[in-house]
Amino acid sequence: MPQQKSTTPKELFGVLAAGAIMLLVVHALGRFIYTPLLPYLVDDGLFSASDGAAIATWNYLGYLMGAILAIRWHKVSQIRVMLPAFLTVHVATTLLATQIDNLTAMSVSRWLNGVANGVVFVQAPALILEWLVLRNRSSMSGLVYIGVGLGLLVSSGLVTVSAGWLEGAGRWWPAALLSIPLAIWGAYRLAKLDVPDEDRGSDGKAVTTSPLFDRASVPLFLSYGGAGLGYILPMTFLPLLAKLELEADHWLLDGAWLIVALCTIPAAWLWNRLGSKMGDISALKLNFVIQLAGVLAAVLWPGDIGLLLCAALVGSTFLGTVLLTQRIARALHPHQGPRLSAAMVALYGFTQMVGPWLTKQWLDAGGTLVSAFSIGVGALTFGLIFVFFVPRPDVWHARTCSR
């Protein structure tokens, strides 16, 4: 086992803050800001709702490809090069989005932005988790995802404040300008992390990784896939659904996304703590039940009640799914590190890409957006079922060691 290292509260806060800032930049300002922007871009005549779903699919395809690249570039020495490189890609493509109004160009730009998002979203938390494990602080790993919650609030504010004085592609300017200083600081801070390039055993030799897929990890992968498809529909189309269901001056037109953002801010801390108190697997089961209730509410009660419940329950749970699943995965396979994280995110990214694509097919066939949310209900039910087949890490390791 590698020797445990010490850290100070100040250093710990700095590292977690840097990771949170990186996720805020690529996942909120690069990705999820598209959700509150979507109704405005449709109203501006930039594209139709169906085209907007297609553009979202390209972004999620890029996210999937970025996660797959992260499987290939999973070593710490590679992460140190890839993180700043793909942060640069994020900034460049967000700046580009302010200048283009062609559907093909927008799709390509969003695809490249998704690639950058996928790589950074895997590599930054994975690198920090390795740093925390060396200091016996892995239980704090979920706090990195607070950046996503804060980012949703920031993205909601940027869109709402600038809605009256920006138009079309120019609506991307606030996200582009804010990304630049945040990306620079985050990359600089994580570049200084003291993490060995390889995990070595007591004999000094590099530890051989175990298979990615086995009796323990397969149900976790399947569960995570269901979560990805289940949450992505409200996280992509909730403001658009509000626009379709509510009167023009209803407070939930902008308020739905604001509720998601506000509920997301404490979510990482809450689920990180619940996982530590009641066990990550038990907390994950509870997480799925609450998230499922949120998406189901939008289907059963179209209008303000369903939208409000969906925003609050999905906003307060989806980050918990991510951090709990990632921690369970590493506990089941301690020497997989960033490679395992990348594989999980790749699957998550694939199912997120499928969600908008299925929605586009449904809308083109004459279906309604609210009925399309039933896809998310089915996916989350699927994910919840497979959580019950995931073994507790301590039981799993005791079983494998006894063979």
Side-chain angles (χ1 to χ4, degrees):
M1 294 291 294
Q3 184 179 0
Q4 295 292 321
K5 300 184 179 182
S6 61
T7 185
T8 64
K10 181 180 179 181
E11 184 182 24
L12 186 62
F13 175 81
V15 171
L16 291 172
I21 287 294
M22 281 201 171
L23 297 193
L24 185 156
V25 168
V26 298
H27 216 57
L29 299 181
R31 183 184 197 182
F32 280 133
I33 197 171
Y34 181 76
T35 303
L37 278 176
L38 184 56
Y40 291 103
L41 297 176
V42 171
D43 278 350
D44 291 343
L46 217 59
F47 44 68
S48 67
S50 179
D51 288 334
I55 291 172
T57 303
W58 279 107
N59 183 252
Y60 300 157
L61 173 61
Y63 181 74
L64 167 63
M65 296 176 70
I68 292 173
L69 289 175
I71 298 176
R72 172 64 181 83
W73 294 323
H74 66 277
K75 296 180 180 179
V76 172
S77 58
Q78 296 167 327
I79 291 175
R80 294 192 191 281
V81 176
M82 292 300 107
L83 267 180
F86 280 98
L87 277 171
T88 303
V89 172
H90 158 80
V91 171
T93 51
T94 309
L95 284 169
L96 181 62
T98 67
Q99 303 300 310
I100 54 179
D101 56 8
N102 175 272
L103 190 61
T104 301
M106 284 188 285
S107 298
V108 172
S109 174
R110 295 301 292 158
W111 169 72
L112 282 171
N113 190 273
V115 173
N117 183 10
V119 172
V120 176
F121 193 79
V122 169
Q123 291 188 342
L127 181 65
I128 291 171
L129 178 56
E130 297 305 307
W131 184 85
L132 290 170
V133 167
L134 289 173
R135 288 152 182 84
N136 198 29
R137 297 296 188 94
S138 61
S139 63
M140 303 186 72
S141 62
L143 299 180
V144 171
Y145 296 96
I146 288 176
V148 178
L150 290 173
L152 292 180
L153 183 61
V154 170
S155 68
S156 177
L158 290 177
V159 172
T160 301
V161 169
S162 64
W165 51 277
L166 293 176
E167 186 177 359
R171 294 187 185 277
W172 285 100
W173 271 115
L177 294 177
L178 184 58
S179 290
I180 295 171
L182 295 181
I184 291 172
W185 182 81
Y188 170 76
R189 187 64 183 80
L190 292 192
K192 301 190 299 180
L193 282 190
D194 178 19
V195 182
D197 286 351
E198 291 183 290
D199 189 7
R200 296 184 177 275
S202 57
D203 58 359
K205 296 181 179 179
V207 175
T208 303
T209 58
S210 55
L212 277 177
F213 303 102
D214 58 16
R215 164 65 184 80
S217 64
V218 166
L220 189 62
F221 271 97
L222 292 172
S223 172
Y224 204 41
L229 178 55
Y231 100 100
I232 201 59
L233 294 175
M235 291 302 290
T236 303
F237 298 112
L238 193 62
L240 185 59
L241 182 61
K243 181 176 180 295
L244 295 174
E245 292 184 345
L246 304 175
E247 57 269 21
D249 59 346
H250 200 288
W251 69 274
L252 275 175
L253 291 178
D254 288 321
W257 190 248
L258 179 61
I259 290 170
V260 172
L262 290 173
C263 290
T264 303
I265 291 173
W269 176 87
L270 173 65
W271 291 105
N272 193 72
R273 186 164 182 81
L274 283 174
S276 299
K277 292 292 184 181
M278 63 189 296
D280 285 342
I281 293 179
S282 296
L284 186 59
K285 292 174 184 175
L286 176 62
N287 178 280
F288 264 95
V289 170
I290 296 173
Q291 194 169 177
L292 173 59
V295 182
L296 187 60
V299 177
L300 295 180
W301 298 294
D304 50 4
I305 294 177
L307 289 166
L308 184 62
L309 287 172
C310 184
L313 297 182
V314 174
S316 62
T317 51
F318 79 93
L319 282 182
T321 315
V322 174
L323 70 91
L324 291 169
T325 303
Q326 293 284 345
R327 205 154 63 196
I328 293 167
R330 197 189 186 283
L332 289 169
H333 294 289
H335 301 302
Q336 290 286 16
R339 181 169 171 258
L340 179 60
S341 176
M344 299 293 293
V345 173
L347 175 62
Y348 202 55
F350 173 74
T351 55
Q352 289 175 73
M353 180 190 70
V354 170
W357 180 83
L358 286 175
T359 302
K360 175 175 169 54
Q361 307 312 307
W362 184 252
L363 294 176
D364 289 346
T368 64
L369 187 57
V370 67
S371 63
F373 274 46
S374 299
I375 299 169
V377 173
L380 286 167
T381 302
F382 175 89
L384 174 61
I385 290 170
F386 276 98
V387 177
F388 286 88
F389 293 93
V390 179
R392 278 179 23 213
D394 56 339
V395 174
W396 174 253
H397 291 306
R399 175 184 171 184
T400 55
C401 289
S402 65
R403 291 175 181 172

Coordinates of all heavy atoms in Angstrom, one line a residue, residues 10 65 105 313:
K10 N -6.3 24.1 4.7 CA -6.1 25.1 3.7 C -5.8 24.4 2.3 O -6.4 24.7 1.3 CB -5.0 26.1 4.0 CG -4.8 27.2 3.0 CD -3.7 28.2 3.4 CE -3.5 29.2 2.3 NZ -2.4 30.2 2.7
M65 N -17.3 10.5 -26.3 CA -16.0 10.3 -26.9 C -14.9 10.9 -26.0 O -13.8 10.3 -25.9 CB -16.0 11.0 -28.3 CG -17.0 10.4 -29.2 SD -17.0 11.3 -30.8 CE -15.4 10.8 -31.5
A105 N -22.4 24.1 -38.2 CA -21.3 24.7 -37.4 C -21.6 24.6 -35.9 O -20.7 24.3 -35.1 CB -21.0 26.1 -37.8
L313 N -36.6 17.6 -7.1 CA -36.1 16.3 -6.8 C -35.0 15.8 -7.6 O -34.1 15.2 -7.2 CB -37.3 15.3 -6.9 CG -38.5 15.6 -5.9 CD1 -39.6 14.5 -6.0 CD2 -38.0 15.6 -4.4

